[in-house]
Amino acid sequence: MSLPHAILTALLEKPSSGLELTRRFDRSIGYFWSATHQQIYRELGKLEAEGHIRTLPAEQPARGQKKSYEVLPAGRAELARWTAASQDPKPQRDVLLLRLRAAAVVGTAGLEADLRRHLELRRRQLAEYEEIQRRDFPPGKDAPEDRLRHLVLRAGIDLETFWTQWLGQALREVRELPETGLPET
């Protein structure tokens, strides 16, 4: 249900073609709500059929010209309704945590190397978010829309900070454990 709302948000920020939306997802919204090129195009068709968006008229008709979309009042109203609605948090599902739990019964062989890999990936993501913060949110940039966008970015920074700290702790714990499988019961 959230992908159409992510698309409406992106189009309200800037009318775009499907390809431009895909690129913008890769650079911003995709950090916390990912979608493939095909999913975006499928949703654009649905949103247009529902009367939430429309194709912008082409300046000059041309065969194969990319379509650009803008949000209609019904789409803005739907996004406002969705934004104001209450939603419960989703249960946490993380394969790495499940694998750690499984290691408690089958042993930790190979786990340390993957924890190091996860730690490196999380450190890189944290560095990327911090660079975006330095670049896009200098001191004094505090318009309401900037503050909300920065709040989302800070959530990413805080989550990656948590994960890097937790992974460091997990690595220390796993290093203290024997690497062999645990006895069968």
Side-chain angles (χ1 to χ4, degrees), residues 17-117:
S17 69
L19 181 58
E20 291 165 339
L21 278 173
T22 300
R23 289 179 181 151
R24 289 176 54 212
F25 263 73
D26 289 345
R27 289 189 323 264
S28 62
I29 292 174
Y31 285 119
F32 55 90
W33 198 268
S34 62
T36 66
H37 186 74
Q38 292 82 7
Q39 289 171 317
I40 290 172
Y41 274 94
R42 198 170 28 252
E43 285 301 326
L44 285 169
K46 290 178 188 176
L47 288 167
E48 191 168 27
E50 293 167 353
H52 291 156
I53 65 172
R54 74 176 180 114
T55 304
L56 289 169
E59 292 178 18
Q60 297 182 47
R63 192 159 170 62
Q65 183 175 2
K66 65 182 178 182
K67 293 182 191 177
S68 287
Y69 300 89
E70 72 176 352
V71 177
L72 295 170
R76 181 181 282 276
E78 168 55 22
L79 187 58
R81 182 210 58 78
W82 179 78
T83 301
S86 177
Q87 186 173 10
D88 292 338
K90 299 276 187 218
Q92 175 73 16
R93 289 178 58 164
D94 190 291
V95 173
L96 180 61
L97 297 178
L98 181 58
R99 288 175 57 225
L100 280 171
R101 181 68 184 253
V105 294
V106 298
T108 61
L111 198 54
E112 184 179 340
D114 202 42
L115 286 170
R116 278 194 310 272
R117 187 180 69 80

